[in-house]
Amino acid sequence: MGPFLVRRLLVVVPLLIGITFVSFIVISLAPGGPLDFLEGESPDLSPEVKKQLTELYGLDKPLVVQYWSWLTRLARLDFGRSFLPDGKPVLTKIGERLPVTLLLNIVEMLIILAVAVPIGVLSAVRQGSSFDKVTTMFVFIGFATPDFWLALLLMSFFGAQLGWLPISGLRSMNWEYLSFWGQQLDFISHLALPIVVATFGGLAGFSRYMRQSMLEVVRQDYVQTARAKGLSEQVVIGKHALRNALLPVVTILGLSLPGLIGGSVIIESIFAIPGMGQLMVQSIYARDYPVVMGNLVVVAVLTLFANLFADIAYGFVDPRIRLGGRRGRR
Amino acid sequence: MAQRARGEIRAFGRTFVRNRLAVGGGIVVAILVVLAVLAPLLAPWDPNKPDTRRILTPPSSSHPLGTDQIGRDVLSRVLYGARVSLAVGFVSVGIATIIGILLGAAAGYHGGLVDAVITRVVDLMLVFPRFFLLLAVLAFLKPSIWTIMVVIGLSGWMGVARLVRAEFLTLREREFVVWSESIGASAARVVFRHILPNAMAPVLVAMTLGIPAAILTESGLSFLGLGVQPPYATWGNILTDGKDALEIAWWMTLYPGLAILITVLSYNLLGEGIRDALDPRLRQARVGRILRVGR
């Protein structure tokens, strides 16, 4: 396990540097530099803000120097300050938003796993049955449904027409007057619609993977052997096949995290949930560049570690991976 | 060789036609392209012309899909929106495919350091949630249809690069490649003449599945107001207007969303059908990954 962990961790360092490099390229994309662009967007830009920007990014210096000074500040976890009047440090702003986004994404993943695994297994075991056909149809529709459209439809139906669920924010106006359990219930009811929307697309993808993975596993010899020695079908599928079929799904779970986090941009914006996605969009509207850049770096670093975690978990459950050196990426 | 190719195409056609869902998807895609191209002829009204006497009118015979807040015809806007969506889909996937083929071929053919560097770059790009990256880039650029096409293309080539690299790794060991190298064929000839044509099948599938992913991305960006800018109608920005009138004008939300759903669904069915017919061995998992990463 040791060498395997070291190999995995060593890859992280160049990727971390790469993340800062790509993010820096993004800043330098603006024609004539971010300052000119900002001036074009808001001509009444005060000289102070301009000076602050120039200092912050060392805009009067060559690109290499700019990148290096940015990098050294990042290494000290100094992401600069927001341009907005509150002038908070970028990291504080992100820190305020991060828990909600993480909570949303973790709950989504758990729900996706809990629902998609049984669906995938059942449709693989009964390949070609009407259950399989219905779920396949659901998968295609799930892939094709724009999440923001689904969000609007659900808001309009459950929120506006039926009035069952709140459609924006995380707390009701009267939150402070509710009992402890009332507050929890209120919080959950606020999260209900966003989570349904966010899970929908992912659910389709995962049940598809699970089905596929299961179909591959049940063809293997050891499954035949298990059958041949007279084990019940339940044990063969539930124990021998399922365990092996779950392995690739662990990796895909990690790989799909960027998609889920990316999805929270739209979902948080629509449902007015104060998470990182909403912060990103608000900062872009407000041209609050330090926050935009900070957000991009933080999200990429989070994804990197989530992937790493999935990788290590995979190596942990499957000795072939950690002993085989390189993981066969299909 | 020519005869064999013809035989393969015929075999492909036979398998494809048997897949009714895929054929259906293909027909719908063809209809959508025709509708988009002929939108100026087909649209009953000017999509950008306000009409203050007909604000938020429900669907009727003169406005089959109703009108919006400033009296523009929703049907005409949805038709014009199809032009934007399909154009963005085609061009951005074209850009992504070219980059993906070049980098994937270089990595798979050269191996060694080139491969190591390109593989790391692919890994690096995949660490960024695509939507965040796109938003960050668009924060610094003036949004226009061209910018959108380019940035979606530039952020979506990794899947193709991986596929092409994998194909090259296996193909370059094959006899016909080794032979042509041994009789002194240039590297360019070997790559473009011998290896690439044989590696195109999965790329074609990835392209067909990449278009709907790009369309979803574009409509999401436009919905947030960071994509193609008004007054140009796109499915995403019709939905933005629809959001503001959600409780009184359901038709503004329902129809553009359905248009996206039908388009994406048809492309996906078509793509999966092409994949199954091209090569039953092309695994779901491989192309499925692209679909996922694309979103």
Side-chain angles (χ1 to χ4, degrees):
Chain A
M1 199 68 203
F4 168 74
L5 271 180
V6 171
R7 266 202 313 274
R8 284 279 159 267
L9 288 174
L10 277 182
V11 181
V12 170
V13 179
L15 279 176
L16 277 177
I17 296 173
I19 288 172
T20 62
F21 186 67
V22 172
S23 307
F24 183 76
I25 293 179
V26 169
I27 309 185
S28 337
L29 266 180
L35 215 56
D36 274 19
F37 184 75
L38 199 64
E39 206 159 20
E41 287 294 306
S42 43
D44 51 342
L45 190 69
S46 71
E48 288 141 54
V49 175
K50 256 171 96 170
K51 202 170 146 250
Q52 191 199 357
L53 241 184
T54 313
E55 261 170 38
L56 191 64
Y57 293 114
L59 291 173
D60 42 352
K61 302 192 185 85
L63 279 178
V64 187
V65 180
Q66 284 181 37
Y67 177 58
W68 180 248
S69 70
W70 191 61
L71 198 62
T72 47
R73 272 191 295 113
L74 283 192
R76 281 180 269 126
L77 290 180
D78 173 12
F79 282 68
R81 283 174 181 275
S82 163
F83 283 175
L84 294 187
D86 60 9
K88 282 187 191 166
V90 171
L91 220 49
T92 312
K93 279 203 139 169
I94 294 176
E96 290 167 0
R97 305 296 194 109
L98 192 61
V100 179
T101 304
L102 281 184
L103 176 74
L104 269 178
N105 280 293
I106 290 172
V107 173
E108 279 161 27
M109 277 219 170
L110 291 178
I111 295 179
I112 288 175
L113 269 183
V115 181
V117 170
I119 289 182
V121 170
L122 270 181
S123 49
V125 172
R126 302 187 195 158
Q127 194 187 4
S129 69
S130 45
F131 177 79
D132 186 27
K133 281 182 186 139
V134 169
T135 49
T136 304
M137 206 174 74
F138 160 76
V139 163
F140 273 100
I141 292 178
F143 266 144
T145 309
D147 40 10
F148 51 95
W149 183 58
L150 183 67
L152 292 180
L153 293 183
L154 292 181
M155 277 166 88
S156 143
F157 189 68
F158 289 105
Q161 289 196 8
L162 294 177
W164 288 357
L165 290 168
I167 54 172
S168 90
L170 285 177
R171 289 176 181 179
S172 301
M173 303 272 262
N174 60 354
W175 194 78
E176 282 170 32
Y177 305 104
L178 293 173
S179 67
F180 174 76
W181 291 110
Q183 290 181 346
Q184 308 310 312
L185 194 69
D186 183 61
F187 185 64
I188 293 172
S189 68
H190 276 86
L191 284 182
L193 284 183
I195 285 184
V196 167
V197 174
T199 353
F200 193 69
L203 210 53
F206 272 98
S207 36
R208 191 79 172 160
Y209 287 128
M210 197 58 224
R211 174 177 181 274
Q212 194 58 29
S213 175
M214 197 69 187
L215 280 179
E216 273 170 33
V217 169
V218 291
R219 279 191 222 114
Q220 303 288 323
D221 290 341
Y222 58 81
V223 173
Q224 298 298 330
T225 313
R227 281 210 180 100
K229 69 180 183 187
L231 294 179
S232 73
E233 195 60 19
Q234 235 171 337
V235 176
V236 173
I237 296 296
K239 213 169 159 190
H240 293 240
L242 179 61
R243 280 193 184 174
N244 286 289
L246 273 173
L247 290 180
V249 175
V250 174
T251 317
I252 288 166
L253 204 66
L255 283 174
S256 68
L257 202 79
L260 281 182
I261 295 182
S264 32
V265 173
I266 284 190
I267 288 159
E268 286 174 8
S269 304
I270 292 185
F271 290 106
I273 294 172
M276 282 187 74
Q278 196 202 31
L279 178 66
M280 185 73 175
V281 175
Q282 286 172 344
S283 316
I284 289 171
Y285 290 150
R287 306 270 165 215
D288 191 354
Y289 293 137
V291 180
V292 173
M293 300 316 306
N295 239 327
L296 186 61
V297 173
V298 169
V299 161
V301 172
L302 276 180
T303 314
L304 174 63
F305 281 108
N307 285 349
L308 183 75
F309 183 70
D311 246 11
I312 292 174
Y314 197 17
F316 200 71
V317 293
D318 190 347
R320 281 170 301 184
I321 302 306
R322 63 171 187 267
L323 297 177
R326 292 193 60 153
R327 179 157 53 104
R329 287 200 175 211
R330 256 189 313 122
Chain B
M1 191 69 195
Q3 209 150 24
R4 223 189 95 213
R6 218 173 296 148
E8 272 175 16
I9 291 172
R10 212 171 295 148
F12 165 78
R14 265 199 309 272
T15 327
F16 182 79
V17 168
R18 241 182 283 140
N19 185 344
R20 264 178 291 162
L21 279 176
V23 174
I27 293 173
V28 176
V29 166
I31 294 175
L32 283 167
V33 172
V34 172
L35 287 180
V37 172
L38 298 182
L41 298 175
L42 294 172
W45 303 83
D46 180 340
N48 298 325
K49 196 166 163 241
D51 184 348
T52 45
R53 290 160 306 166
R54 298 173 175 278
I55 284 170
L56 291 174
T57 51
S60 62
S61 54
S62 65
H63 294 279
L65 305 188
T67 60
D68 68 3
Q69 286 99 329
I70 52 173
R72 295 174 298 192
D73 180 46
V74 174
L75 174 63
S76 307
R77 289 183 70 72
V78 170
L79 276 172
Y80 272 83
R83 291 164 81 87
V84 173
S85 290
L86 295 181
V88 170
F90 283 125
V91 176
S92 62
V93 168
I95 295 173
T97 307
I98 293 172
I99 301 176
I101 286 180
L102 290 178
L103 290 181
Y109 185 74
H110 285 290
L113 186 65
V114 178
D115 183 28
V117 170
I118 292 176
T119 307
R120 286 283 161 274
V121 173
V122 169
D123 285 349
L124 174 62
M125 288 295 289
L126 287 176
V127 165
F128 287 93
R130 190 179 186 185
F131 216 78
F132 269 87
L133 186 62
L134 285 172
L135 287 178
V137 172
L138 289 171
F140 294 96
L141 297 173
K142 285 228 184 305
S144 76
I145 188 163
W146 299 108
T147 332
I148 298 294
M149 286 170 175
V150 172
V151 293
I152 293 182
L154 285 179
S155 64
W157 51 268
M158 292 80 76
V160 176
R162 275 191 168 174
L163 282 178
V164 172
R165 174 180 172 271
E167 291 292 312
F168 266 61
L169 280 179
T170 47
L171 285 169
R172 61 163 309 179
E173 308 292 335
R174 295 270 293 275
E175 281 167 354
F176 66 94
V177 175
V178 178
W179 279 350
S180 63
E181 272 171 345
S182 68
I183 58 169
S186 67
R189 190 177 161 85
V190 172
V191 166
F192 290 107
R193 185 77 206 229
H194 297 294
I195 306 186
L196 194 55
N198 287 294
M200 281 310 283
V203 174
L204 187 70
V205 178
M207 285 177 75
T208 321
L209 295 176
I211 291 173
I215 289 176
L216 278 175
T217 307
E218 181 275 326
S219 60
L221 290 172
S222 294
F223 178 73
L224 289 177
L226 296 162
V228 179
Q229 298 295 301
Y232 294 106
T234 73
W235 292 339
N237 70 29
I238 305 174
L239 281 168
T240 315
D241 294 341
K243 184 189 175 210
D244 300 332
L246 193 58
E247 284 165 46
I248 36 174
W250 54 268
W251 53 90
M252 283 180 63
T253 300
L254 184 66
Y255 295 120
L258 270 182
I260 301 175
L261 187 128
I262 292 169
T263 309
V264 175
L265 184 64
S266 316
Y267 270 106
N268 283 344
L269 289 173
L270 175 67
E272 299 243 334
I274 295 178
R275 186 197 56 216
D276 292 345
L278 270 178
D279 185 351
R281 285 166 302 141
L282 282 181
R283 293 265 174 72
Q284 226 113 22
R286 236 152 89 186
V287 176
R289 163 92 54 82
I290 297 175
L291 223 157
R292 165 128 239 113
V293 167
R295 290 184 78 173

